[in-house]
Amino acid sequence: LQPMVKQLCQVFKESHSKADALLALLAAALLDESNAIVAWGEGVHRLVARHLDSETYLRSEKLQHKYVALLRIAERMARAEDRAARQLADDSVHVKLLNHLRAFLSKDTGGLSLQKAKMTGPCIDCIAALIKHDKTNGALREAVDDRHSLDLFLKGAKDEGLDPVVLSASLRAILVVLEKRSEKAQ
């Protein structure tokens, strides 16, 4: 499967993620940790970081599945390879995602619509993976130390009538932040 993953990565880099099915296939292939390491080795994390910087995915309902696939790709590379987590953090992906999360959970924008809920859970999961797997404690230190980040995860966990995917992602992220704080205190 790894030679196919290398080809998928090449097509992804050449097409600049224009193919919806390609993103979904690549995200699914990266469920296998060895494939995620191959994708990182192919430099996919750089392209994913650039795409996650775009606000276009957040504004269009037609593009939300691409955004979710990009989040899953980043999350799976970060979980499989600590260097991928560090590089994504160095590219400030966590800062961009925390800003997206703030927008998703903002009451000013009408609360959490179904469209936002579909993007919020994967966004939280990606942030949590970056926090957990960045072993340098460098770029992500502020996400762990910053009370506002934890407040965002708590907000996702305590809103009434919240999507169960968002609730479970929020609770996992809270656990990751508390574990990191505990490690740091020791």
Side-chain angles (χ1 to χ4, degrees):
L1 190 60
Q2 287 183 358
M4 186 181 89
V5 170
K6 281 188 175 196
Q7 289 178 333
L8 283 172
C9 292
Q10 285 305 111
V11 173
F12 174 67
K13 290 190 296 188
E14 292 166 6
S15 72
H16 301 287
S17 81
K18 289 187 174 80
D20 297 356
L22 174 68
L23 278 174
L25 184 59
L26 186 57
L30 298 190
L31 282 167
D32 182 280
E33 191 173 293
S34 61
N35 292 337
I37 293 169
V38 168
W40 171 77
E42 292 292 318
V44 169
H45 60 284
R46 290 183 195 101
L47 191 56
V48 168
R50 274 185 291 194
H51 281 282
L52 287 174
D53 194 25
S54 172
E55 298 289 324
T56 306
Y57 296 104
L58 305 178
R59 285 188 234 118
S60 171
E61 191 171 329
K62 292 188 328 187
L63 297 177
Q64 84 177 24
H65 59 283
K66 284 185 179 182
Y67 178 76
V68 170
L70 289 164
L71 290 169
R72 292 297 185 204
I73 291 167
E75 173 195 352
R76 290 167 185 162
M77 283 189 294
R79 289 186 190 284
E81 179 58 58
D82 293 343
R83 292 175 293 181
R86 185 182 66 242
Q87 288 173 335
L88 288 164
D90 288 347
D91 289 337
S92 298
V93 168
H94 64 292
V95 174
K96 297 164 192 162
L97 296 182
L98 284 167
N99 288 333
H100 295 175
L101 185 57
R102 255 182 221 95
F104 294 153
L105 296 175
S106 171
K107 293 291 183 196
D108 298 337
T109 58
L112 196 63
S113 67
L114 181 58
Q115 177 187 359
K116 287 181 188 176
K118 288 179 182 179
M119 296 186 291
T120 303
C123 183
I124 294 170
D125 283 337
C126 189
I127 295 167
L130 291 171
I131 292 170
K132 184 173 186 171
H133 295 281
D134 177 32
K135 302 299 183 197
T136 65
N137 287 328
L140 290 171
R141 182 173 288 141
E142 71 270 10
V144 174
D145 292 341
D146 182 15
R147 186 179 60 82
H148 298 293
S149 299
L150 187 57
D151 286 347
L152 276 175
F153 301 140
L154 287 168
K155 186 175 185 177
K158 67 181 181 181
D159 279 354
E160 291 181 27
L162 197 59
D163 183 271
V165 173
V166 175
L167 174 61
S168 62
S170 296
L171 293 174
R172 283 191 301 272
I174 291 167
L175 179 63
V176 166
V177 169
L178 294 176
E179 286 174 342
K180 277 289 194 177
R181 285 184 178 179
S182 175
E183 287 173 14
K184 207 171 100 175
Q186 293 175 357

